[in-house]
Amino acid sequence: MNFWLVKQEPSKYSWEQFVKDKETFWDGVRNYQARNNLKEMKKGDLVFFYHSVVGKEIKGVAKVAREHYPDPTTDDERWVVIDLKPVKAFKNAVTLDAVKEHPKLQDIALIKQSRLSVMPLTAAEFKIILKLGDTTLAGV
DNA sequence: GCCAACGTTGGC
DNA sequence: GCCAACGTTGGC
């Protein structure tokens, strides 16, 4: 199992909307590095949902419900989407500040590469963030 | 193939 | 709303 973090501006698509929808396809990725990460995702992988710009906090956990397929919103065959389902909202949203303050989270792309919208996390990083969110997950 | 110009992202 | 960082485009 692999671990990921995706970013979205809540004004475009919020965690709350995601929970309401129960499932969504993750479109709009137009960056090769982010796209390559999408392609690496396997069904069942766990994904943090981060609100950029407004809030700047990780809201909860999703899982990959369907592996990558061509982006239905464009004819450009370079781009792909995945399907995500909400798993659990964090009890405490984990702010960007909290991530920056944690000594073991200094190397994650959220900080180092602020413009990347889909990034991998290590299992250790995932667990730390889950703990910061005051949330537990079976099987992690 | 280099690099200047331009557009976009996202933190502040 | 500004601007730094970064990715992409296109002229040469």
Side-chain angles (χ1 to χ4, degrees):
Chain A
M1 154 133 42
N2 288 305
F3 303 97
W4 309 92
L5 184 146
V6 296
K7 309 196 325 195
Q8 185 55 274
E9 294 187 34
S11 59
K12 291 180 181 160
Y13 191 77
S14 67
W15 168 261
E16 288 78 13
Q17 184 63 46
F18 178 45
V19 170
K20 207 178 291 178
D21 289 347
K22 297 200 171 62
E23 181 159 356
T24 192
F25 61 90
W26 202 259
D27 67 331
V29 171
R30 295 291 182 271
N31 168 286
Y32 290 111
Q33 204 179 342
R35 191 275 315 267
N36 291 343
N37 288 332
L38 281 185
K39 285 188 167 181
E40 291 294 315
M41 289 188 186
K42 299 293 181 208
K43 193 173 177 181
D45 281 359
L46 294 173
V47 184
F48 285 140
F49 191 122
Y50 174 78
H51 275 182
S52 61
V53 183
V54 179
K56 281 176 283 181
E57 56 191 15
I58 301 167
K59 301 288 288 180
V61 189
K63 74 175 174 188
V64 177
R66 184 180 171 190
E67 291 172 18
H68 69 91
Y69 56 97
D71 188 336
T73 66
T74 177
D75 289 333
D76 192 329
E77 62 192 14
R78 289 176 298 172
W79 306 117
V80 301
V81 300
I82 52 153
D83 286 355
L84 286 178
K85 276 186 177 173
V87 173
K88 205 170 194 181
F90 279 178
K91 277 190 204 163
N92 293 322
V94 178
T95 63
L96 183 61
D97 284 344
V99 171
K100 282 183 176 172
E101 281 168 12
H102 197 290
K104 289 193 176 164
L105 297 177
Q106 297 308 300
D107 288 334
I108 70 174
L110 189 64
I111 296 173
K112 285 200 158 176
Q113 225 181 321
S114 67
R115 296 185 54 197
L116 184 63
S117 62
V118 181
M119 66 194 74
L121 293 175
T122 67
E125 290 159 353
F126 188 90
K127 284 178 190 170
I128 290 168
I129 292 170
L130 199 61
K131 199 172 178 187
L132 290 176
D134 195 17
T135 299
T136 55
L137 271 186
V140 179

